[in-house]
Amino acid sequence: MLTFGSIGCGNMGGAILQGILQGGTPAADIYVADHNLETLRQKLGHTGVQICRSNTEVAALCDTVFLAVKPNVLAAVLAEIGPVLAERTALPLLISIAAGKSTAYLEEQLTVPCPVVRVMPNINALVGEAVSAVCAGKNATADQAKTVCDLMACTGKVLELDEAMFPLFGAGSFIVLHVCVLSALRHSYSGLSCFLMIRSRTLFDRSKGFVLFSEEYKKSEPFSYRKKVRILLLWCTSRDSNPGPTD
């Protein structure tokens, strides 16, 4: 049985852990460490997960380790667990949710070639309605990327994206619109079909796995919305103009 660990258990890390538990992973196979041990016990003590006293304990015991820490402490955490990882015969899969820290950055900080997968979740993970982006580092296999996608599916929808798109993913609802278009294109909708759906503001039926665009965002940032959608419409119309699938 695979073991899962999390270094850090803030709002996002806690939401991911909750999703993994609800997805059926036994609590006994989950190990968690946080800088505030007492708060961690209060937060997760009732779940039955293994509460560890140090980050190195998680790094030593688990097959898959979430790095659910803030970007400003990520380098220190990697330096702390590095010697433990170097002693392992089988390197764990590391999953980072630290915003702004690329897979290349993690690989450079590590002294061993651990497989790294980067995840960009959003706060909707707290209610199981996240849209998370996933990309694999150079040492991670396609199967390992799929493992991460399966894990993150417990918190909502998951999309594998080129890492170059990650800075946009944190830009609010526009990126949800963008990834919806990408998803539609992957499902054989044409660029013209996407154009028509955006213009008509009937963006993608949930039954097909797409997320509705936020009316609140359009009202709160009308100029930004108009500018970004205009760019996206131009991009859509540059695609194949064959009709997309119909209901």
Side-chain angles (χ1 to χ4, degrees), residues 99 118 120-122 133 165-176 228:
R118 182 181 173 193
M120 181 72 77
N122 59 32
M165 292 182 66
F166 271 49
L168 291 175
F169 200 82
S173 297
F174 169 70
I175 193 60
V176 176
K228 290 174 179 177

Side-chain angles (χ1 to χ4, degrees), residues 132-202:
S132 299
V134 172
C135 70
K138 66 180 182 181
N139 297 320
T141 66
D143 284 344
Q144 288 169 325
K146 183 180 183 304
T147 294
V148 177
C149 288
D150 291 343
L151 286 172
M152 293 305 300
C154 296
T155 67
K157 301 186 186 306
V158 183
L159 296 165
E160 284 195 68
L161 293 181
D162 188 295
E163 193 166 11
M165 292 182 66
F166 271 49
L168 291 175
F169 200 82
S173 297
F174 169 70
I175 193 60
V176 176
L177 173 62
H178 197 172
V179 297
C180 284
V181 170
L182 293 176
S183 295
L185 291 169
R186 290 194 190 101
H187 285 75
S188 300
Y189 283 84
S190 68
L192 179 60
S193 297
C194 294
F195 174 89
L196 294 173
M197 283 187 282
I198 297 170
R199 283 296 297 270
S200 65
R201 298 185 182 182
T202 57

Side-chain angles (χ1 to χ4, degrees), residues 25-59:
T25 300
D29 295 328
I30 299 176
Y31 296 76
V32 189
D34 192 83
H35 68 281
N36 192 325
L37 186 59
E38 187 56 37
T39 299
L40 186 62
R41 285 173 174 157
Q42 293 173 4
K43 189 174 184 178
L44 295 178
H46 67 284
T47 65
V49 303
Q50 309 293 321
I51 295 177
C52 301
R53 301 186 68 87
S54 68
N55 297 335
T56 53
E57 188 177 351
V58 174

